[in-house]
PDB file of all heavy atoms in Angstrom:
ATOM      1  N   ASP D  43      11.047  17.494  20.420  1.00  0.00           N
ATOM      2  CA  ASP D  43      10.762  18.561  19.446  1.00  0.00           C
ATOM      3  C   ASP D  43       9.260  18.589  19.213  1.00  0.00           C
ATOM      4  O   ASP D  43       8.662  17.629  18.734  1.00  0.00           O
ATOM      5  CB  ASP D  43      11.510  18.292  18.136  1.00  0.00           C
ATOM      6  CG  ASP D  43      11.323  19.390  17.135  1.00  0.00           C
ATOM      7  OD1 ASP D  43      10.324  20.143  17.254  1.00  0.00           O
ATOM      8  OD2 ASP D  43      12.172  19.510  16.245  1.00  0.00           O
ATOM      9  N   GLN D  44       8.617  19.689  19.506  1.00  0.00           N
ATOM     10  CA  GLN D  44       7.160  19.750  19.385  1.00  0.00           C
ATOM     11  C   GLN D  44       6.675  19.666  17.962  1.00  0.00           C
ATOM     12  O   GLN D  44       5.499  19.431  17.711  1.00  0.00           O
ATOM     13  CB  GLN D  44       6.638  21.063  20.016  1.00  0.00           C
ATOM     14  CG  GLN D  44       6.826  21.083  21.540  1.00  0.00           C
ATOM     15  CD  GLN D  44       6.234  22.324  22.163  1.00  0.00           C
ATOM     16  OE1 GLN D  44       5.992  23.287  21.463  1.00  0.00           O
ATOM     17  NE2 GLN D  44       6.055  22.281  23.481  1.00  0.00           N
ATOM     18  N   ASN D  45       7.557  19.844  17.030  1.00  0.00           N
ATOM     19  CA  ASN D  45       7.160  19.756  15.641  1.00  0.00           C
ATOM     20  C   ASN D  45       7.078  18.309  15.140  1.00  0.00           C
ATOM     21  O   ASN D  45       6.592  18.058  14.063  1.00  0.00           O
ATOM     22  CB  ASN D  45       8.142  20.533  14.742  1.00  0.00           C
ATOM     23  CG  ASN D  45       8.081  22.014  15.029  1.00  0.00           C
ATOM     24  OD1 ASN D  45       7.003  22.538  15.281  1.00  0.00           O
ATOM     25  ND2 ASN D  45       9.242  22.659  15.032  1.00  0.00           N
ATOM     26  N   VAL D  46       7.567  17.399  15.951  1.00  0.00           N
ATOM     27  CA  VAL D  46       7.571  15.994  15.543  1.00  0.00           C
ATOM     28  C   VAL D  46       6.406  15.263  16.200  1.00  0.00           C
ATOM     29  O   VAL D  46       6.242  15.353  17.406  1.00  0.00           O
ATOM     30  CB  VAL D  46       8.917  15.318  15.952  1.00  0.00           C
ATOM     31  CG1 VAL D  46       8.895  13.852  15.607  1.00  0.00           C
ATOM     32  CG2 VAL D  46      10.080  16.015  15.258  1.00  0.00           C
ATOM     33  N   PRO D  47       5.582  14.604  15.404  1.00  0.00           N
ATOM     34  CA  PRO D  47       4.454  13.904  16.026  1.00  0.00           C
ATOM     35  C   PRO D  47       4.895  12.778  16.945  1.00  0.00           C
ATOM     36  O   PRO D  47       5.894  12.114  16.666  1.00  0.00           O
ATOM     37  CB  PRO D  47       3.679  13.376  14.821  1.00  0.00           C
ATOM     38  CG  PRO D  47       4.676  13.286  13.721  1.00  0.00           C
ATOM     39  CD  PRO D  47       5.651  14.409  13.959  1.00  0.00           C
ATOM     40  N   VAL D  48       4.171  12.591  18.020  1.00  0.00           N
ATOM     41  CA  VAL D  48       4.431  11.474  18.909  1.00  0.00           C
ATOM     42  C   VAL D  48       3.261  10.509  18.800  1.00  0.00           C
ATOM     43  O   VAL D  48       2.111  10.909  18.987  1.00  0.00           O
ATOM     44  CB  VAL D  48       4.590  11.943  20.360  1.00  0.00           C
ATOM     45  CG1 VAL D  48       4.749  10.761  21.298  1.00  0.00           C
ATOM     46  CG2 VAL D  48       5.789  12.888  20.480  1.00  0.00           C
ATOM     47  N   TYR D  49       3.540   9.280  18.460  1.00  0.00           N
ATOM     48  CA  TYR D  49       2.498   8.266  18.289  1.00  0.00           C
ATOM     49  C   TYR D  49       2.442   7.465  19.570  1.00  0.00           C
ATOM     50  O   TYR D  49       3.387   6.770  19.930  1.00  0.00           O
ATOM     51  CB  TYR D  49       2.805   7.401  17.088  1.00  0.00           C
ATOM     52  CG  TYR D  49       2.951   8.167  15.820  1.00  0.00           C
ATOM     53  CD1 TYR D  49       4.186   8.428  15.271  1.00  0.00           C
ATOM     54  CD2 TYR D  49       1.811   8.613  15.161  1.00  0.00           C
ATOM     55  CE1 TYR D  49       4.318   9.138  14.088  1.00  0.00           C
ATOM     56  CE2 TYR D  49       1.925   9.318  13.979  1.00  0.00           C
ATOM     57  CZ  TYR D  49       3.175   9.577  13.451  1.00  0.00           C
ATOM     58  OH  TYR D  49       3.292  10.283  12.280  1.00  0.00           O
ATOM     59  N   SER D  50       1.352   7.554  20.278  1.00  0.00           N
ATOM     60  CA  SER D  50       1.288   6.910  21.600  1.00  0.00           C
ATOM     61  C   SER D  50       0.794   5.473  21.492  1.00  0.00           C
ATOM     62  O   SER D  50       0.287   5.035  20.464  1.00  0.00           O
ATOM     63  CB  SER D  50       0.377   7.716  22.513  1.00  0.00           C
ATOM     64  OG  SER D  50      -0.879   7.863  21.905  1.00  0.00           O
ATOM     65  N   CYS D  51       0.958   4.790  22.581  1.00  0.00           N
ATOM     66  CA  CYS D  51       0.556   3.386  22.678  1.00  0.00           C
ATOM     67  C   CYS D  51      -0.920   3.340  23.064  1.00  0.00           C
ATOM     68  O   CYS D  51      -1.316   3.823  24.112  1.00  0.00           O
ATOM     69  CB  CYS D  51       1.425   2.763  23.783  1.00  0.00           C
ATOM     70  SG  CYS D  51       1.586   1.023  23.639  1.00  0.00           S
ATOM     71  N   MET D  52      -1.737   2.769  22.186  1.00  0.00           N
ATOM     72  CA  MET D  52      -3.184   2.828  22.359  1.00  0.00           C
ATOM     73  C   MET D  52      -3.741   1.488  22.793  1.00  0.00           C
ATOM     74  O   MET D  52      -3.210   0.433  22.450  1.00  0.00           O
ATOM     75  CB  MET D  52      -3.834   3.232  21.045  1.00  0.00           C
ATOM     76  CG  MET D  52      -3.339   4.546  20.454  1.00  0.00           C
ATOM     77  SD  MET D  52      -3.765   5.952  21.464  1.00  0.00           S
ATOM     78  CE  MET D  52      -5.518   6.078  21.105  1.00  0.00           C
TER      79      MET D  52
END
Side-chain angles (χ1 to χ4, degrees):
D43 184 337
Q44 291 184 344
N45 294 322
V46 177
V48 175
Y49 302 103
S50 55
C51 203
M52 304 293 286

